[in-house]
Amino acid sequence: MSTKTLILALDLLGTFAFAVDGALTAIRTARVDIVGVLVLGLITAIGGGVIRDVLLGVTPATFQDWRYLTTALVGAGVAFFLSRQLTHLAKPILVFDAIGLSLFAVIGATKALAAGFGPLQAALLGMITGVGGGTIRDVLLNRVPTVFSANSHLYAVPALLGALLVAIPHTFGLTWGWIAVVGALVCFGVRILALLYRWSAPVPPGSPPL
Amino acid sequence: MSTKTLILALDLLGTFAFAVDGALTAIRTARVDIVGVLVLGLITAIGGGVIRDVLLGVTPATFQDWRYLTTALVGAGVAFFLSRQLTHLAKPILVFDAIGLSLFAVIGATKALAAGFGPLQAALLGMITGVGGGTIRDVLLNRVPTVFSANSHLYAVPALLGALLVAIPHTFGLTWGWIAVVGALVCFGVRILALLYRWSAPVPPGSPPL
Amino acid sequence: MSTKTLILALDLLGTFAFAVDGALTAIRTARVDIVGVLVLGLITAIGGGVIRDVLLGVTPATFQDWRYLTTALVGAGVAFFLSRQLTHLAKPILVFDAIGLSLFAVIGATKALAAGFGPLQAALLGMITGVGGGTIRDVLLNRVPTVFSANSHLYAVPALLGALLVAIPHTFGLTWGWIAVVGALVCFGVRILALLYRWSAPVPPGSPPL
């Protein structure tokens, strides 16, 4: 299996996990029908990439590619029919979700750098690719996006870290493929550790304790 | 009257109905002033087409065309001044709204196919053109978009059906104009029947009954 | 100091004020961590310009320019660490915010006219540039955007006025720089007077009094 095929397979795995997670969140949070479940799963899976491409000024790529659309719709469909059974698989879904987050962050930053954007923009776009879909889903479900909240266990921070690990070396001319691998692994590791040890990002001074 | 003029007239009628409906929803739901009523009516009317064009990677067309902007602003303005009287016209507004939904779905799918997108994308973009404006309005009014909810009487389903009826024949090389007419009529008919007979889309297994 | 440098300095001052205001609103409204504060401050500052550029069909300019990104992130960071102290500076922040609103409205309308859009579009895009960032912030904080509400003290109206004062003369071929200055001053003046005298825009007939 070539590197490109491996990245595509992992990327589709992440898309699937995001769609399942988005659809389950929709089912748990609101009275949605099958249209709501499918659309909210799809938006969770590809929304981050769409915002990234809008900010890059290009036609949204994951929306154009039927493999991402189909994977996301299948993931949301599985969640629709098996939502009760999937509640027992919350932990594996979180791991797949972390894989998706890592790949989306690194791929997003890489696309931004390839389009000629600077490292600050690339890091932000990597983070947005990772967290944007879930953010739109939360807005559509009428709740404050978990990514901004003080008990999200660093969802955005590892995405930003992974994207920075790709963007900063790039400004010094370092663009080897293994840098992206390190970025993705650091994002994945920090996210998993944050979940295990319930890490939180700092809150504003004077905020009431959790 | 040529076909093109007829389509434009119907499209503007749909835009007007969407704007009236969006403005009335804003007045009923929140404490909005005239700015809020006009902007939310405008967004309801042209928001779906804007999302479609962003996903197609082109400059939003309905925003560029002053006829759509003016029609939408006039519709929202009428709703602002006559909101109490218009509550008695809820049923004709629903019929005009169904006309708008049908045309928007079919026109959206046709634009996507003309831009070279595949049938799955075209069907989704047709649906988004129809339901996107109302969805942004609901998000701005801080409520779960009715299109996702289990008692929306199939708002998104007929739009998707109408768009699919245009997109699928197109993949087999069939692009006659009457296919679009059939798509729009099916969308319109299903929507009206769903309203009359209170049809609902399936909810996830295990959901509490309505 | 050249005119261009002066405009850039004022524009960055407005960006800073918008970011501070957006971050403080986030801290007051929801349980956000540092990621939420920085991102919501950034979105408040550059969101309006991003929506404008998406509607113009061009790559978002303020997102590409590191000076705007950095200014916005510094503003949000200051608000994060000094949120308690800054509550005493609410009035100066409102004045800076009005400066930002005025410049954003006039610059937005000017960019739309330069891109060949008509006066109606240019006026709307000027208004959107001014109020769009705060609107996305409010949506993300799960509340009805203040700009639509009946007690916003005309936030959108002066922006629209300032943008119209640039757009209308332009259709008659008048494009002198001082027209933009007049537009910005009128926007600033109306906003400040609306705050001082608690002006409100009309509400729909029959609405309950405030």
Side-chain angles (χ1 to χ4, degrees):
Chain A
M1 192 156 70
S2 74
T3 313
K4 213 173 162 184
T5 317
L6 179 69
I7 290 174
L8 177 66
L10 285 170
D11 206 16
L12 290 177
L13 186 69
T15 302
F16 188 83
F18 271 43
V20 169
D21 189 49
L24 290 177
T25 306
I27 293 168
R28 273 197 308 267
T29 311
R31 283 198 60 74
V32 286
D33 61 14
I34 190 167
V35 174
V37 173
L38 292 178
V39 172
L40 288 164
L42 178 63
I43 287 172
T44 309
I46 73 164
V50 167
I51 304 179
R52 175 201 63 215
D53 288 344
V54 167
L55 287 169
L56 287 175
V58 300
T59 306
T62 39
F63 184 78
Q64 277 184 290
D65 191 328
W66 66 269
R67 292 172 301 190
Y68 289 87
L69 283 186
T70 311
T71 303
L73 288 172
V74 169
V78 167
F80 179 82
F81 287 109
L82 303 177
S83 57
R84 281 170 301 177
Q85 292 80 345
L86 286 168
T87 52
H88 304 299
L89 295 172
K91 277 178 192 171
I93 291 173
L94 275 175
V95 173
F96 289 140
D97 187 82
I99 293 175
L101 183 72
S102 311
L103 283 162
F104 284 19
V106 166
I107 291 171
T110 306
K111 284 201 181 184
L113 294 165
F117 280 68
L120 179 57
Q121 283 85 349
L124 285 171
L125 286 171
M127 185 181 84
I128 288 168
T129 310
V131 308
T135 303
I136 309 181
R137 177 204 60 209
D138 287 342
V139 164
L140 289 170
L141 288 170
N142 201 19
R143 52 185 210 165
V144 175
T146 43
V147 71
F148 297 137
S149 95
N151 46 0
S152 65
H153 305 310
L154 302 192
Y155 199 70
V157 173
L160 188 61
L161 262 184
L164 275 172
L165 281 174
V166 174
I168 292 173
H170 187 273
T171 57
F172 297 104
L174 306 173
T175 57
W176 299 307
W178 60 261
I179 292 177
V181 176
V182 170
L185 287 175
V186 167
C187 173
F188 181 77
V190 172
R191 170 64 180 156
I192 295 293
L193 288 172
L195 282 169
L196 285 174
Y197 297 103
R198 306 186 162 276
W199 288 346
S200 291
V203 294
S207 286
L210 278 176
Chain B
M1 190 155 71
S2 73
T3 314
K4 211 172 163 183
T5 316
L6 179 68
I7 290 174
L8 177 66
L10 285 170
D11 205 17
L12 290 176
L13 185 70
T15 302
F16 188 83
F18 270 44
V20 168
D21 189 50
L24 290 178
T25 305
I27 292 168
R28 274 198 308 266
T29 311
R31 283 198 60 75
V32 286
D33 61 14
I34 189 166
V35 174
V37 173
L38 291 178
V39 172
L40 288 165
L42 179 62
I43 287 172
T44 308
I46 72 165
V50 168
I51 304 179
R52 175 200 62 214
D53 288 345
V54 167
L55 288 169
L56 286 175
V58 301
T59 307
T62 40
F63 184 78
Q64 276 184 291
D65 190 328
W66 68 269
R67 293 172 301 189
Y68 289 86
L69 282 186
T70 312
T71 303
L73 289 172
V74 169
V78 166
F80 179 82
F81 288 110
L82 302 177
S83 58
R84 281 170 301 177
Q85 291 81 345
L86 286 168
T87 52
H88 305 298
L89 295 173
K91 277 177 195 174
I93 290 172
L94 275 176
V95 173
F96 288 141
D97 186 82
I99 294 175
L101 183 71
S102 311
L103 283 161
F104 285 18
V106 166
I107 292 171
T110 307
K111 284 202 182 184
L113 293 165
F117 280 68
L120 178 58
Q121 284 84 351
L124 285 171
L125 286 171
M127 185 182 84
I128 288 168
T129 311
V131 307
T135 303
I136 309 180
R137 177 204 60 207
D138 287 343
V139 165
L140 290 169
L141 287 170
N142 202 18
R143 53 184 207 165
V144 176
T146 44
V147 72
F148 297 138
S149 94
N151 47 359
S152 64
H153 305 312
L154 302 191
Y155 200 69
V157 173
L160 187 61
L161 262 183
L164 275 173
L165 282 174
V166 174
I168 292 173
H170 187 274
T171 56
F172 297 103
L174 306 172
T175 57
W176 299 308
W178 59 261
I179 291 177
V181 175
V182 170
L185 287 176
V186 167
C187 173
F188 180 77
V190 173
R191 169 65 179 155
I192 295 294
L193 288 172
L195 283 168
L196 284 174
Y197 297 102
R198 305 186 163 277
W199 289 346
S200 290
V203 295
S207 286
L210 280 177
Chain C
M1 191 155 72
S2 74
T3 315
K4 211 172 161 184
T5 316
L6 179 68
I7 290 173
L8 177 65
L10 285 170
D11 206 17
L12 290 176
L13 185 69
T15 302
F16 188 83
F18 270 43
V20 168
D21 189 49
L24 291 178
T25 305
I27 293 167
R28 273 197 309 266
T29 310
R31 283 198 59 76
V32 286
D33 61 14
I34 190 167
V35 174
V37 173
L38 292 179
V39 172
L40 288 165
L42 178 62
I43 286 173
T44 309
I46 73 165
V50 167
I51 303 179
R52 176 200 62 216
D53 288 345
V54 167
L55 287 169
L56 287 175
V58 300
T59 306
T62 39
F63 184 79
Q64 276 184 291
D65 189 329
W66 67 269
R67 293 171 301 189
Y68 289 86
L69 282 186
T70 312
T71 303
L73 288 172
V74 169
V78 166
F80 179 83
F81 288 109
L82 303 177
S83 58
R84 281 169 302 179
Q85 292 80 344
L86 286 168
T87 53
H88 305 299
L89 295 173
K91 278 176 191 173
I93 290 173
L94 275 175
V95 173
F96 288 142
D97 187 81
I99 294 175
L101 184 71
S102 312
L103 284 162
F104 285 19
V106 166
I107 292 171
T110 307
K111 284 202 182 184
L113 294 165
F117 279 69
L120 178 57
Q121 284 84 350
L124 285 172
L125 286 171
M127 185 181 85
I128 288 168
T129 311
V131 308
T135 303
I136 309 181
R137 177 205 59 208
D138 287 343
V139 164
L140 290 169
L141 288 170
N142 201 18
R143 53 185 208 164
V144 176
T146 44
V147 72
F148 296 137
S149 94
N151 47 1
S152 64
H153 305 312
L154 302 190
Y155 199 70
V157 173
L160 187 62
L161 263 183
L164 275 173
L165 281 173
V166 174
I168 292 173
H170 188 272
T171 56
F172 296 104
L174 306 173
T175 57
W176 298 307
W178 60 262
I179 291 178
V181 176
V182 170
L185 288 176
V186 167
C187 173
F188 180 77
V190 172
R191 170 66 179 155
I192 296 293
L193 288 171
L195 283 168
L196 285 175
Y197 298 102
R198 305 186 162 276
W199 289 346
S200 290
V203 294
S207 287
L210 278 176

